[in-house]
Amino acid sequence: MTTSAPHHAVPASSAAGRRTDHPAIEFVGVCKDYLTHGEAVPAVKSLDLAIAQGEFFSLLGPSGCGKTTTMRMIAGFEAPTAGKVFLDGQDVTGVAANKRDVNMVFQSYALFPHLNVLQNVSFGLERKKVGKAEIARRVGEILEIVSLTGMEKRYQKEMSGGQQQRVALARALVNHPRALLLDEPLGALDLKLRQQMQIELKRIQREVGITFVYVTHDQGEALTMSDRIAVMNAGLIEQLGTPREIYERPATRFVAGFIGTSNIVAAPVSRVEGGLAVLDLGPEERIVVPVPASVPAGREIEVSVRPEKIDLHRTAPQAAGSVLAGTVTEVVYHGTSTNYTVSTSTGSDFVVFDQNAHDAEDVASRGERVFLTWAPQHSYPIGV
Ligand SMILES: Nc1ncnc2c1ncn2[C@@H]1O[C@H](COP(=O)(O)OP(=O)(O)OP(=O)(O)O)[C@@H](O)[C@H]1O
Ligand SMILES: [Mg+2]
């Protein structure tokens, strides 16, 4: 760590001399341009971000949005073009990677194939000249946590993908880093194993209590595991929040489209009554959505509603909330739900997930005229 002054005043030190009142990781006005063929390519445009101690924090976004670049700046493998990076309140912007108290686990776990599990996990501690007894104790403890006790003698080729992944994790965790950076660590695993490892990783993080920064482009994975998620797009954070906030209230059209499935309609507000905007779309069709007081009648807004919030009816309903009429164009049976695509008069197709909780018959079939309804609180305006 550096000796430079902490970013924030009044650092309180714990018994181990570690500060607990600063964010584990902080970015202040960080930009990163790569110089390629004499041209500056912006990878991270302007990042202000504070990750709390012990948080499971995910960076989520499409390929090329700057996730790995952000991680590499935390680890110290990449220097920001502008701005500052703080670890535990210390400015580490100019500090070398090996002087930072963080460890990174990559998509390809890069175990030493000629070393067994025990040797792989002990390697870093041996290099640091930690005593034999101490190494044995720490390695034993960490193998227990990642459920690999009894596999100490195995070589990489004698293990499953998930087991190899856990060796890689153990190898990073045994150093007791302040933060662990995981860049798509489950990318090489098949779906079943991936899902198992998601639960395992979450448990491990709870047990060791250190800050995890997790990179993924898989929204389901981010929603399942994270305390908070930063959704990135083209080098910027579009939204930062808990999984529930991000799923239930996407702040932008990009987030609404990237996280799960969203039905989006743009239409002018016909009137506002008691905090609810009514968008008349036809004699029997309307959208009713809660809006802030700043939204006047006449303004066009975009309204989003999730497929699982919509009810499908064969006859015109007497509903107080939103009602849309349409024609079923697609019915896909998914086991736990049946998914309908309904072409509506709004010009956009709506997707409806109908949970298979009732009798073994679909609510409607292809070509049928149907009505969609949902409660006002289940839709929200985007970006207002
Ligand atoms: N060493 C480099 N030199 C030049 N450009 C780079 C370099 N590394 C990354 N980039 C560019 O920076 C942008 C961000 O890349 P980055 O690797 O951070 O994306 P990512 O979000 O991790 O994507 P993925 O999900 O595909 O791993 C991309 O446009 C990429 O082409
Ligand atoms: Mg990447």
Side-chain angles (χ1 to χ4, degrees):
M1 278 276 171
T2 52
T3 51
S4 59
H7 174 51
H8 294 298
V10 217
S13 293
S14 67
R18 285 179 164 174
R19 299 196 170 83
T20 50
D21 60 342
H22 292 291
I25 297 160
E26 195 173 8
F27 278 60
V28 179
V30 169
C31 306
K32 174 69 187 177
D33 293 344
Y34 287 110
L35 207 60
T36 33
H37 311 289
E39 222 183 294
V41 180
V44 167
K45 284 174 188 157
S46 175
L47 211 55
D48 289 291
L49 180 63
I51 299 172
Q53 307 281 352
E55 190 169 27
F56 197 119
F57 191 92
S58 292
L59 296 170
L60 172 67
S63 185
C65 71
K67 305 181 296 293
T68 296
T69 303
T70 303
M71 290 289 247
R72 292 177 64 82
M73 288 192 287
I74 300 172
F77 299 134
E78 216 68 72
T81 311
K84 286 186 184 303
V85 179
F86 297 86
L87 296 178
D88 291 316
Q90 299 279 355
D91 183 350
V92 297
T93 314
V95 175
N98 60 2
K99 298 273 169 12
R100 296 188 188 192
D101 205 0
V102 298
N103 263 157
M104 192 150 167
V105 176
F106 299 94
Q107 174 168 352
S108 53
Y109 353 108
L111 300 182
F112 299 117
H114 59 289
L115 299 183
N116 66 25
V117 169
L118 194 69
Q119 294 161 334
N120 260 289
V121 178
S122 310
F123 185 81
L125 296 180
E126 279 166 4
R127 276 226 317 216
K128 283 192 214 156
K129 306 269 187 283
V130 176
K132 273 203 161 59
E134 169 81 359
I135 294 181
R137 189 186 61 75
R138 276 166 68 173
V139 171
E141 184 185 276
I142 217 72
L143 289 180
E144 180 85 44
I145 287 176
V146 300
S147 311
L148 283 177
T149 308
M151 305 195 81
E152 291 84 351
K153 298 253 155 57
R154 299 265 191 120
Y155 289 87
Q156 180 171 12
K157 61 177 189 297
E158 300 167 332
M159 288 182 291
S160 72
Q163 289 161 346
Q164 295 175 36
Q165 179 59 54
R166 280 181 280 158
V167 178
L169 261 178
R171 214 172 48 170
L173 287 170
V174 83
N175 297 318
H176 295 172
R178 303 275 2 240
L180 189 62
L181 313 178
L182 300 122
D183 193 350
E184 306 251 8
L186 308 182
L189 307 181
D190 67 46
L191 181 66
K192 208 55 188 221
L193 202 51
R194 236 182 127 93
Q195 289 169 339
Q196 272 172 20
M197 279 303 295
Q198 288 169 8
I199 295 165
E200 279 287 281
L201 265 178
K202 191 72 193 159
R203 175 186 63 77
I204 290 166
Q205 194 255 350
R206 258 200 313 270
E207 277 183 31
V208 297
I210 66 174
T211 311
F212 272 35
V213 187
Y214 194 90
V215 161
T216 179
H217 59 255
D218 178 338
Q219 41 114 359
E221 191 161 293
L223 290 174
T224 315
M225 301 174 76
S226 319
D227 293 317
R228 285 190 308 156
I229 301 171
V231 183
M232 292 184 72
N233 181 28
L236 291 169
I237 293 179
E238 291 254 343
Q239 187 173 4
L240 200 161
T242 63
R244 185 176 290 273
E245 282 164 1
I246 289 200
Y247 185 81
E248 301 281 343
R249 290 285 178 271
T252 66
R253 203 183 167 113
F254 173 83
V255 177
F258 190 74
I259 313 286
T261 307
S262 292
N263 298 299
I264 299 173
V265 180
V269 174
S270 308
R271 58 194 175 279
V272 182
E273 300 165 347
L276 295 177
V278 181
L279 289 59
D280 287 321
L281 299 168
E284 303 295 335
E285 295 179 81
R286 64 179 175 274
I287 284 170
V288 183
V289 59
V291 287
S294 57
V295 174
R299 156 122 59 114
E300 178 162 307
I301 59 172
E302 281 185 319
V303 179
S304 184
V305 57
R306 294 289 189 186
E308 68 275 16
K309 306 289 195 202
I310 301 175
D311 289 321
L312 202 71
H313 313 263
R314 280 176 150 145
T315 50
Q318 297 300 314
S322 300
V323 184
L324 279 182
T327 305
V328 176
T329 57
E330 209 67 71
V331 181
V332 182
Y333 180 73
H334 279 278
T336 56
S337 71
T338 302
N339 298 2
Y340 298 88
T341 308
V342 178
S343 107
T344 69
S345 61
T346 65
S348 32
D349 283 351
F350 265 58
V351 178
V352 180
F353 298 163
D354 186 46
Q355 261 223 333
N356 290 337
H358 32 72
D359 299 338
E361 210 181 300
D362 291 336
V363 180
S365 38
R366 221 153 68 85
E368 211 170 322
R369 182 103 180 126
V370 290
F371 299 90
L372 311 182
T373 64
W374 65 92
Q377 71 271 20
H378 286 153
S379 52
Y380 50 90
I382 296 175
V384 298

